[in-house]
Amino acid sequence: MTQLDRRRFLTTAGGTVAAGLAMQTLGSHAAWAQAGRPHHGNPGYGPLRRTRAANTGEELLAVPAGFTYTVFGITGDRMNDGQPTPIAHDGMAAFRSQRRGVVRLIRNHEVRNPPGSPTGRVHIPGSARYDDLGVAGTTTVDVDPRSGRVLQHFVSLNGTIVNCAGGMMMGQRGWLTCEETTAGPKQGWQQKHGYVYQVPLHGPRPGRPVNAQPVKAMGRFSHEAVAVDPRTGHVYETEDDSGKPNGFFRYRPRNPYRLEAGGVLEMLKIVDRPGYDCREGQRMGSQLPVEWVRIDDPDPDLENGAATCTQQGLAAGGAKFNRLEGCWYGDGSIYFNSTSGGDAKNGDAPNPDGFQEGYGQVWRYIPHRNGKGALVMVYESPGRKALDSPDNLTFTPRGGIILCEDDASGADEDTHPLAPGLSNVNRLIGLDPGGQPFEFALNVTDDSEFAGACFSPDGDTLFANTLGSTNTVTPPGRTYAIHGPWRRGPL
């Protein structure tokens, strides 16, 4: 599920320091979890309390004392292009606007309705779009982060499906939005899907979304998120295809500023260990030497039985992961989450190949100058109380960490005293410098997950979505801007 604006902080001098501090925190968390006992002290910002939105008066989140929030961009709200705000608010990034004091958000909508369904879709009649029956896409929002007042809101890409997460383009010139599916004509769509698309920061405008065209050389698979290495222009891509072994991919473009000009798609492999299974049996901190295998057919004709990108990579000895989600660049490395990897099992039924899902892993890929590199598992959750299914891992501008949980298990229900009546709550989890997790925010109004967490360019505002429904207008998707005394605590 979702991508973050953390790369803005991690590619600057100050951001490199923040990334280093965050990695120290993550290492402390790993040590704390392995010891099986809590870190002493009072973590975080204190207990949560149900709090009303400053601009609407609705009681939607629980946050610590001293923090406030506004809510905007709600499903059904009329936008500047005359269309209602779509459903299924997912991955998102925050950019500097051309107007002072304004933040521009580009937000995915993971609409999962059938071809051409009008319910909650992302749609501008008569506009150029990849698939006329596509129901998903992106919206762009210009917002005053303090008041939550929306200055402009419009569809910026339509004609795609299941837009889950993504990442910032090279040079922060826009957003790369990803389809988390490989559906096509056999499922009723006019076009094949499973691609990455480019949404320029300043190109689209109300009533004139970008002409959505897939970057087919980046692969056709169930994409989740991407991260660009600013030193090389290589784009790293995660795959989230439930119930199957997933791959970690790299796209080496001919021109990092023109991804559509072509390039080479590759899948990560552990040197001398073909088919290595990263999903379980791993040791935190152990380095695995990496090489990359080429995907000869990045746009497979799946409708006629062609091998998937992952099948091609596995046949060449590629490594197996389980449900790869969040992905970002920082401190000279690429970090990515496996939502359901790990040895502590969540109780769900095994996958078809026998793998039983865990509570999550965090991986680090360290590129080397020879084009290869090393892979390190930097954290694995020992159980639900420590961390339940990490979707995004956010390095904050001050060197803290925020984790977006996506309760992936159907067998392990979570309740919370501040959210009576909800059987699966969703939280933003922070980590203190000693590695102890703490609750930072709780969705008290429905059971939809947090997504798209990202900080404003000045680091003062945390934006986040609650997904809402991917099929209906209730519960609605919402976007939040959270403010408070960040420097009082570890975030």
Side-chain angles (χ1 to χ4, degrees), residues 22 40 44 53 58 144 150 200 229 231 236 248 261 296 300 318 332 357 397 400 402 409 416 418 439 453 476 490-491:
H40 296 294
E58 301 171 280
D144 178 339
V150 173
D229 184 336
R231 303 167 304 175
Y236 293 85
F248 182 59
D296 292 325
E357 294 188 337
I402 297 176
S409 171
H416 197 287
L418 292 178
E439 296 178 337
L491 302 180

Side-chain angles (χ1 to χ4, degrees), residues 64 95 113 180 194 289 375 391 462 477 483:
F95 301 83
N113 281 329
E180 191 187 13
L375 182 69
D391 193 320
L462 172 65
H483 311 276

Side-chain angles (χ1 to χ4, degrees), residues 75-98:
T75 292
D77 285 355
R78 192 64 58 178
M79 298 186 292
N80 292 78
D81 52 22
Q83 301 301 307
T85 300
I87 63 175
H89 297 30
D90 211 311
M92 184 170 66
F95 301 83
R96 295 187 184 276
S97 171
Q98 294 176 323

Side-chain angles (χ1 to χ4, degrees), residues 307-324:
T308 68
C309 290
T310 306
Q311 288 170 339
Q312 295 175 61
L314 293 175
K320 301 175 184 177
F321 296 91
N322 192 75
R323 292 200 60 200
L324 296 183

Side-chain angles (χ1 to χ4, degrees), residues 77-144:
D77 285 355
R78 192 64 58 178
M79 298 186 292
N80 292 78
D81 52 22
Q83 301 301 307
T85 300
I87 63 175
H89 297 30
D90 211 311
M92 184 170 66
F95 301 83
R96 295 187 184 276
S97 171
Q98 294 176 323
R99 286 185 276 186
R100 187 175 180 180
V102 175
V103 174
R104 170 158 286 194
L105 301 172
I106 303 180
R107 182 182 60 203
N108 278 4
H109 294 271
E110 190 186 331
V111 184
R112 289 183 174 269
N113 281 329
S117 172
T119 303
R121 67 181 173 179
V122 186
H123 183 71
I124 295 294
S127 64
R129 50 185 173 267
Y130 172 63
D131 189 331
D132 284 341
L133 299 180
V135 294
T138 68
T139 54
T140 294
V141 189
D142 288 341
V143 60
D144 178 339

Side-chain angles (χ1 to χ4, degrees), residues 45 67 398 440 455 459-460 462 482 484-489 491:
Y45 296 85
F67 283 85
R398 286 157 289 274
F440 175 72
F455 272 89
D460 288 342
L462 172 65
I482 303 174
W486 297 110
R487 298 187 185 278
R488 194 182 73 193
L491 302 180

